[in-house]
Amino acid sequence: HRTTVMQSIVYSAILNNTGTLVKESVIGDVESQILSKVNNFKTSGNGSYPGGFISSNKYKVSLLIDTGTIYVCAAVPAFSNKIIGLFLAEIRTEWKTGSKRGAAMEEYLRHQMSHFSKLDDSSDQLAQVSKQLDQVKGTMRDNLDTLLVRGEKLELVQDRTENLVDSTTDFRKQSDRLRCQMKKQNIFLTIGLIVLVICVLLAIGGGIWLIVDMTT
């Protein structure tokens, strides 16, 4: 699947600390040299986000390091650094989506290498690609903002739920205390009624005996 047409971007790869994840090349004679230079750079550039340039015998090797993943581009020395930067940003965006891996990502790299090789600094296509990348970054920022807002709303709902649970618990405790108080009041009221009835009966009974005594 290698092309025989000379193009400006001749090699690209995605690596991490474990090794090469995916690569695509239209050359074969300098790949090991490129990778050896990249591995030497990994030690000093790990954890940063530079677009570093490494000189090679024939090619300009450019790196974009993002959270432990290294995106590599090798191009002819005269090729535009701006276009290389856009190419690296493009393959990083695609890799982060996770939609392509293995052969599918190799095919994607091959297509993008050919596509960006045809661009120049004054090209309308370059401006369009730059605009598309800005739109992608804007969309990613918007999605992140949405997730943050959603996280805040979920936290607010959680707080309200916890407050509702606490209020329900307090209401249950107050209901239990009120129920106990009402039971005690009912008991006292019942005892009072019984005493009152007994007193009435005693009073009525005494009156009857008094009437009998007066009539005899």
Side-chain angles (χ1 to χ4, degrees):
H1 60 273
R2 300 287 188 264
T3 178
T4 58
V5 179
M6 184 59 183
Q7 61 186 45
S8 297
I9 300 177
V10 296
Y11 176 86
S12 64
I14 302 174
L15 309 89
N16 61 15
N17 290 331
T18 63
T20 302
L21 302 174
V22 62
K23 63 181 180 179
E24 182 58 31
S25 175
V26 297
I27 55 174
D29 57 330
V30 296
E31 181 176 354
S32 59
Q33 180 184 357
I34 291 173
L35 290 180
S36 66
K37 290 180 175 295
V38 170
N39 289 331
N40 291 335
F41 186 85
K42 285 167 62 176
T43 303
S44 60
N46 189 27
S48 59
Y49 303 81
F53 291 89
I54 305 172
S55 61
S56 172
N57 290 341
K58 297 181 180 179
Y59 305 104
K60 175 169 54 180
V61 182
S62 307
L63 305 180
L64 175 60
I65 304 178
D66 187 348
T67 58
T69 303
I70 302 178
Y71 305 87
V72 185
C73 171
V76 296
F79 194 55
S80 166
N81 290 343
K82 183 177 181 180
I83 298 177
I84 291 174
L86 291 173
F87 169 77
L88 290 171
E90 170 67 23
I91 65 175
R92 175 182 61 177
T93 299
E94 182 61 35
W95 181 258
K96 282 191 168 185
T97 64
S99 61
K100 293 182 178 66
R101 291 292 186 266
M105 191 63 190
E106 291 178 358
E107 176 63 28
Y108 175 80
L109 289 178
R110 183 162 58 252
H111 172 76
Q112 295 301 323
M113 289 164 61
S114 175
H115 172 68
F116 278 85
S117 292
K118 298 173 184 177
L119 303 181
D120 58 70
D121 285 333
S122 61
S123 172
D124 291 338
Q125 288 179 311
L126 182 60
Q128 182 179 0
V129 170
S130 180
K131 182 179 180 180
Q132 290 175 346
L133 287 175
D134 290 339
Q135 290 175 346
V136 170
K137 288 188 290 185
T139 301
M140 293 177 69
R141 284 194 296 267
D142 291 342
N143 290 340
L144 180 59
D145 292 340
T146 300
L147 289 174
L148 291 175
V149 172
R150 185 178 302 171
E152 292 176 356
K153 290 183 177 179
L154 288 175
E155 185 177 355
L156 179 60
V157 170
Q158 183 178 0
D159 291 340
R160 290 181 176 177
T161 302
E162 291 176 353
N163 292 336
L164 180 60
V165 171
D166 293 339
S167 299
T168 303
T169 302
D170 293 339
F171 178 75
R172 184 180 297 111
K173 291 180 180 179
Q174 292 177 1
S175 298
D176 292 339
R177 286 195 295 267
L178 182 60
R179 188 179 299 110
C180 292
Q181 291 176 358
M182 292 183 66
K183 286 182 178 179
K184 292 179 180 179
Q185 289 178 357
N186 288 334
I187 293 173
F188 292 148
L189 181 60
T190 302
I191 294 173
L193 289 174
I194 293 173
V195 172
L196 179 61
V197 170
I198 292 173
C199 291
V200 170
L201 291 176
L202 290 175
I204 293 174
I208 292 174
W209 284 110
L210 180 60
I211 294 172
V212 169
D213 289 340
M214 292 177 64
T215 55
T216 55

